[in-house]
Structures are given as C-alpha cells and as structure tokens.
Amino acid sequence: MSHPRRLSCTHRYERQRWYATGVPFRTRSFTMKIGILGTGNIGKTLTGRLSAAGHEVKAANSRGPETIEADVLASGGRAVTAAEAVVDVDAVILSIPFDRIPQVAPLIARVPADTVVIDTSNYFPHRDNGIAAIEAGQAESVWAAEQLGRPITKAWNSIGAESFAHRNKPAGSADRISLPVAADSPRERDLAMALVEDTGFDAFDAGPLAESWRQQPGTPAYCTDLARQELPDALAAADAARSPKRRDLGLAVVQERFGADVQPDAEYLVRLNRAISM
C-alpha cells in the first residue's frame, strides 16, 4: 500500500512545486499538519475526522491540553497548548466564538505567511457584543481577516454541529452535503476544500472572501444541508438585507422552543432554516 506524501512546513519547496503543477490539492493524496484552536462541537469533530483521514492534528483550547477529553483524540489527534498548535503546521483552523478572534491575533501573528488560516465561526450579535462594522454590512470573514492582519479562508461555518457530526458521507454519495469555501487566494481555497472533502462533505468553490456573506447565518446556504447541485442557487439567492433578520428569527424560534442552552437535533434545525431562509 502506498502512503500519502507529507505536505509540511519543513517541505516548503516541494509544496510550492506541487502547487505549481496546477493540480488541485483536493485531487491529490497528502498528509498535512494541522493545528486546531477550539474543541467545542465543531472543533472536536474536525479533530476526529481530519485525524481519521490521516492528517497530523494538534488540538488546543483555552483551558489547557489536560482538559481535552479522550474521545476528541480517539482517532489520533494530539492535545497541546494553543502556542504549540500553531507551530510547524500547514493549516490553522479557528473553531472559536467569533468575538474571540481578536484575542488570538497575537498567536496568529507568529504563523508563517504560507500557512493557511481557516475560520469556521459565525457572528451572533447577542453573544458577540454587537460588532458595529458587521452590523453595518461588512462580511464577517473580512472583519475577521482585518482583526488577524492576514488573509483567511472561510469553511465549515455553514453546517450545524449535529449535521457535521452525523451527516458526513463517502465521496460520490448522491446525497452528500456540500459546503461552501471562500478565500481570496486560489491556493488557500483549494487546500481548505481538500480538507472539507476529507471530513466527509463535498467542497464548493464559493469565490473570494468578500462573497462569504452568502454563507453566513440567515442565508439559504446556512445550515440547510444542501447537495452540490443545490448549493449554487442557494448562494446566488442570498439577500444581504434580509439575512440578519432571518438569522435572528431562527435563533428566537430555537430559544423559545428549546431554551438558550439546548442544541436542537439536525433534522429540526435544517427544517427550520429551510423554512425561514429559502
């Protein structure tokens, strides 16, 4: 059995040469080194899936490696400090509350420019203290990139935690859910798309970061579990003026039905978001 070649920060020349061939990362077999900041619902699934896919994964949270539960690491991920998670990796994935992005900026400042930084978070004004620029219409990911002082990629933000944990499918499945990936750099977008595929979902090229508002909460592509053939129309149908209202309506319905601290199951959340946003 052949083993995938490692794509690591210690092999920068080879990585550049491989990319120069024009063959997308997602069509090749590579083992990457990945650091994940955050081990909440999305972060722990990312750690397990990417480890199971053969990548070298380091996971960190704000409380220390000793607090990361064994099941998060069952597929081979390693618990480390946040500072260790961003060292010698090909990609850093941020799976943290949106308003904490400025807090990790000093840590991300140490990351080499050719390391891909992927953000999975979403803005919710009741939790994230009402960010004026976003309330005025700035795309969430553009704001996040400004806080970090570097380009970022947006991925995995458009799927609910329950769907992400339980609705992954093998490549080629007719009903495989498709997830949009946005970035200004084609190379960074392509690498993130490869990782999305490795977590069990079809990756869809959603264009530059400025268009990532089309996958934010309240849009037809957000938490509606669409197949690849459905996703382009959903992204095109996004309405910048209406999506914040739909986001807040959906949240109000969930809180009224389940309370503030209960996560509804995937089926309910998808039906609700399709009814409100599509």
Side-chain angles (χ1 to χ4, degrees):
M1 179 184 299
S2 62
H3 296 280
R5 298 185 64 182
R6 174 169 300 163
L7 178 66
S8 76
C9 289
T10 59
H11 296 84
R12 298 184 193 279
Y13 171 75
E14 289 191 350
R15 172 165 56 189
Q16 292 167 359
R17 177 169 56 81
W18 286 329
Y19 186 74
T21 65
V23 180
F25 283 111
R26 59 186 179 277
T27 65
R28 308 179 229 167
S29 181
F30 287 133
T31 297
M32 300 186 204
K33 292 184 176 182
I34 302 165
I36 298 176
L37 298 181
T39 55
N41 290 330
I42 297 295
K44 68 182 181 183
T45 300
L46 282 168
T47 300
R49 291 274 171 73
L50 293 174
S51 298
H55 300 296
E56 296 183 23
V57 180
K58 297 184 287 185
N61 62 22
S62 60
R63 302 184 307 278
E66 68 280 358
T67 67
I68 297 177
E69 298 178 358
D71 64 323
V72 177
L73 310 172
S75 296
R78 183 161 58 94
V80 298
T81 66
E84 292 172 318
V86 301
V87 174
D88 188 27
V89 290
D90 302 297
V92 174
I93 302 175
L94 304 180
S95 186
I96 59 178
F98 190 80
D99 68 343
R100 295 185 189 172
I101 286 176
Q103 298 175 23
V104 302
L107 196 62
I108 299 301
R110 308 174 194 173
V111 175
D114 64 347
T115 298
V116 179
V117 176
I118 306 171
D119 175 33
T120 72
S121 64
N122 292 297
Y123 169 70
F124 291 96
H126 75 286
R127 181 196 66 189
D128 299 321
N129 301 311
I131 299 169
I134 296 176
E135 294 294 327
Q138 185 176 35
E140 296 171 13
S141 295
V142 173
W143 182 87
E146 289 179 355
Q147 305 310 302
L148 297 175
R150 62 176 294 146
I152 66 170
T153 300
K154 193 73 166 184
W156 292 295
N157 74 297
S158 63
I159 188 167
E162 288 296 308
S163 287
F164 190 43
H166 303 296
R167 293 189 168 182
N168 56 306
K169 294 286 181 67
S173 299
D175 56 348
R176 200 182 198 210
I177 294 169
S178 186
L179 303 181
V181 179
D184 291 335
S185 162
R187 185 190 75 86
E188 295 184 0
R189 191 187 314 128
D190 190 59
L191 185 145
M193 290 176 70
L195 295 180
V196 167
E197 297 276 350
D198 283 345
T199 59
F201 301 89
D202 281 342
F204 183 83
D205 185 339
L209 207 61
E211 293 296 309
S212 63
W213 66 269
R214 296 180 181 276
Q215 62 198 70
Q216 291 177 184
T219 63
Y222 177 76
C223 289
T224 48
D225 288 7
L226 302 177
R228 184 177 184 84
Q229 65 270 21
E230 301 172 300
L231 189 55
D233 286 344
L235 291 168
D239 187 318
R242 292 180 176 179
S243 59
K245 300 173 185 177
R246 292 169 173 172
R247 172 201 65 203
D248 295 345
L249 177 58
L251 182 64
V253 170
V254 169
Q255 291 184 339
E256 190 278 333
R257 173 75 184 272
F258 297 98
D261 300 320
V262 177
Q263 176 74 24
D265 64 38
E267 184 178 354
Y268 179 88
L269 191 61
V270 168
R271 288 203 319 268
L272 176 65
N273 282 307
R274 288 187 177 188
I276 290 173
S277 301
M278 295 186 71

